[in-house]
Amino acid sequence: KGCCVKLSKQNMRGVTLIELMVTLAVLAVILTMAIPSFTKFRQRSALRGAADQVASFWTNARFEALKRNERVKVGLIRSDDSTFYLCAAPASSNTDDAAIAVADRVAQCTYGVYPSEISEWKRMIAPASAGKNGGAFAVIDPKRGSLGAPGQAGFWELRSPAGDSDYRLQVNVDLFGRAVICEPAAATSDMPQ
């Protein structure tokens, strides 16, 4: 009567050792196949996030120039240990003078510096040769939000952290001051999308 089923010892058996071993072997195979894909996904995500930060930083510097009606220069500050910062400062500052200590140059970035903590780059690499006009600062004209001189149009290139693939993205800045993220032809691994 009712929906109760009487359980006997035959109905209450557990998992055998062989079934457990087969299940663990299948899981091991699946994990072995998934780990390389996950590593590549992490590399691409970190690179895309860093490129988005660079483009956003550039846009904020343009707004700062328009808001203050003042020429603002933006560029990379590199230190000897391969760390680098994005800097936005008044055009009259010494942020592009390599003879000044990195910490003093970063302190002059009154309109913005990224990152505040180096770990925010998530181990991104900015090749020494891959920068806006060889690493020069670009000056933003406050009247139009465009570049101050035609020769300042260029790019910042970022490479993914070390891993199986060499992903690269460039943040191109044209004469009109527009920032566009694209993949350079030198990239040996293609970014999806």
Side-chain angles (χ1 to χ4, degrees):
K1 293 183 180 181
C3 62
C4 295
V5 177
K6 185 175 179 182
L7 296 176
S8 66
K9 286 191 175 189
Q10 288 179 339
N11 292 344
M12 295 179 51
R13 66 173 251 229
V15 178
T16 66
L17 184 60
I18 293 174
E19 291 172 332
L20 182 62
M21 295 300 284
V22 168
T23 303
L24 289 176
V26 169
L27 283 175
V29 168
I30 290 171
L31 283 175
T32 303
M33 291 179 355
I35 287 176
S37 296
F38 180 70
T39 303
K40 289 178 182 180
F41 172 76
R42 283 187 54 205
Q43 281 182 294
R44 290 190 308 262
S45 295
L47 179 60
R48 184 64 189 193
D52 287 342
Q53 286 292 341
V54 171
S56 176
F57 187 87
W58 174 260
T59 302
N60 288 341
R62 286 180 69 198
F63 287 137
E64 197 68 34
L66 294 168
K67 179 176 82 173
R68 294 178 181 270
N69 196 25
E70 181 179 354
R71 293 169 57 92
V72 173
K73 67 180 175 180
V74 179
L76 283 178
I77 296 177
R78 297 176 184 277
S79 65
D80 295 335
D81 63 353
S82 75
T83 57
F84 57 99
Y85 299 88
L86 276 172
C87 175
S92 59
S93 67
N94 295 344
T95 53
D96 52 350
D97 186 355
I100 299 174
V102 171
D104 294 336
R105 292 165 61 193
V106 170
Q108 293 183 39
C109 301
T110 54
Y111 298 152
V113 64
Y114 183 82
S116 56
E117 295 288 329
I118 286 298
S119 63
E120 292 179 50
W121 278 124
K122 295 184 169 86
R123 299 185 332 269
M124 284 300 112
I125 301 165
S129 61
K132 178 178 265 324
N133 296 328
F137 277 66
V139 178
I140 301 169
D141 181 355
K143 301 295 182 205
R144 297 179 299 274
S146 61
L147 294 177
Q152 293 178 340
F155 63 91
W156 288 292
E157 183 175 308
L158 296 171
R159 290 177 55 195
S160 63
D164 298 340
S165 303
D166 179 31
Y167 296 109
R168 297 177 187 209
L169 285 178
Q170 281 183 352
V171 179
N172 293 326
V173 177
D174 65 11
L175 180 59
F176 300 109
R178 296 176 296 209
V180 177
I181 299 172
C182 64
E183 186 174 18
T188 57
S189 300
D190 292 334
M191 294 276 290
Q193 301 173 351

